[in-house]
């Protein structure tokens, strides 16, 4: 007679994992993910600068390099341009130091006397570059800055006015609520556009 066959299990046998390998208990609010922004720019020069400062921020203890890398990867909106007048004002009394701007340096017709400045920026407008060189200064690129000051010593890190965009006027608390200075989105500033009761304290009351 043939040997008796042992009964087969139709379902799978699930083995419980050891206690140390079980899942983590996530608190309310979930897990905090810190994903660093990577630039979407296809400009090869920006890409190479990101590569260079990624290396410098990893291999040196300089916070300057980490900030430059972060700003190089920022959106175009966050790389606001800086005018020559603002640059000259911020660099007053800082002789011998290099002004560093991760953005564009633009010319300013209101500045009659341009001081001698060493400026490192991603881009200079044609007239801004001409006025810096005419005053005896120099315009540097970030790869030259990395050779001259790899740790960021002797530099002044500056930034353009990021919140100066027109659209920023409309952000914040709702227009009309107490202590709000937010600009409403209206077609015109005329008499009949959002100037009636409830909008102004001089017309009965203000919300």
């Amino acid at each position: 007679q043939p040997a008796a066959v042992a009964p087969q299990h139709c379902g799978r046998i699930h083995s419980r994992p050891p206690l140390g390998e079980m899942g983590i208990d996530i608190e309310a609010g979930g897990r905090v993910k810190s994903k660093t922004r990577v630039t979407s720019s296809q400009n090869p020069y920006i890409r190479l600068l990101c590569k260079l400062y990624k290396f410098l921020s990893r291999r040196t203890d300089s916070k300057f390099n980490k900030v430059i890398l972060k700003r190089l990867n920022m959106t175009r909106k966050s790389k606001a341009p800086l005018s020559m007048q603002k640059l000259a004002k911020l660099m007053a009394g800082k002789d011998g130091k290099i002004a560093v701007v991760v953005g564009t340096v633009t010319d300013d017709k209101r500045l009659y006397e341009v001081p001698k400045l060493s400026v490192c920026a991603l881009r200079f407008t044609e007239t801004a570059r001409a006025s810096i060189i005419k005053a005896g200064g120099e315009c540097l690129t970030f790869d030259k800055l990395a050779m001259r000051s790899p740790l960021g010593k002797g530099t002044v890190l500056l930034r353009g006015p990021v919140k100066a965009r027109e659209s920023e006027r409309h952000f914040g608390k709702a227009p009309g609520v107490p202590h709000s200075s937010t600009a409403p989105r209206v077609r015109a500033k005329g008499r009949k556009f959002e100037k009636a009761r409830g909008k102004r304290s001089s017309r009965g009351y203000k919300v």
Side-chain angles (χ1 to χ4, degrees):
Q1 276 188 337
V5 180
Q8 298 263 329
H9 286 286
C10 25
R12 289 185 186 162
I13 299 169
H14 294 283
S15 61
R16 181 173 288 194
L19 199 62
E21 292 177 23
M22 289 180 80
I24 56 168
D25 185 19
I26 297 174
E27 290 179 18
R31 190 180 298 155
V32 178
K33 291 183 181 177
S34 58
K35 192 179 177 187
T36 51
R37 190 184 188 279
V38 180
T39 184
S40 57
S41 170
Q42 294 304 310
N43 186 333
Y45 300 107
I46 298 282
R47 293 253 173 193
L48 284 167
L49 285 179
C50 286
K51 224 174 190 179
L52 170 66
Y53 276 92
K54 191 177 182 182
F55 172 81
L56 286 172
S57 66
R58 192 178 75 244
R59 294 299 300 267
T60 62
D61 292 330
S62 168
K63 196 178 176 186
F64 173 84
N65 291 329
K66 287 178 174 59
V67 174
I68 295 290
L69 175 66
K70 187 183 176 183
R71 289 191 188 177
L72 282 169
N73 280 306
M74 280 182 176
T75 55
R76 189 175 167 189
K77 173 187 85 161
S78 302
K79 290 187 278 201
L82 190 67
S83 71
M84 279 296 301
Q85 189 175 31
K86 200 73 177 281
L87 184 69
K89 189 182 174 184
L90 292 166
M91 290 302 289
K94 296 184 175 77
D95 299 329
K97 298 210 171 202
I98 303 167
V100 181
V101 184
V102 184
T104 309
V105 171
T106 56
D107 194 27
D108 202 328
K109 292 278 188 282
R110 296 168 297 178
L111 187 68
Y112 297 120
E113 290 182 15
V114 178
K116 186 183 176 182
L117 296 166
S118 290
V119 189
C120 172
L122 282 179
R123 188 173 153 265
F124 295 88
T125 60
E126 209 172 304
T127 46
R129 188 186 290 274
S131 61
I132 290 168
I133 291 166
K134 190 181 176 183
E138 56 180 341
C139 301
L140 299 169
T141 53
F142 275 94
D143 52 328
K144 284 180 183 171
L145 179 74
M147 303 235 321
R148 193 179 291 191
S149 179
L151 299 176
K153 285 180 181 175
T155 60
V156 179
L157 189 55
L158 302 172
R159 203 170 177 193
V162 179
K163 301 275 182 182
R165 299 187 309 144
E166 198 279 330
S167 56
E168 289 280 347
R169 293 176 64 238
H170 305 287
F171 300 155
K173 276 184 166 182
V177 301
H179 313 297
S180 166
S181 59
T182 308
R185 293 185 188 274
V186 284
R187 281 182 295 156
K189 283 191 77 173
R191 170 188 55 81
K192 53 188 182 178
F193 299 97
E194 298 194 17
K195 296 282 178 80
R197 288 171 72 246
K199 293 289 179 183
R200 305 172 77 188
S201 50
S202 62
R203 297 289 181 276
Y205 74 100
K206 190 172 195 271
V207 177

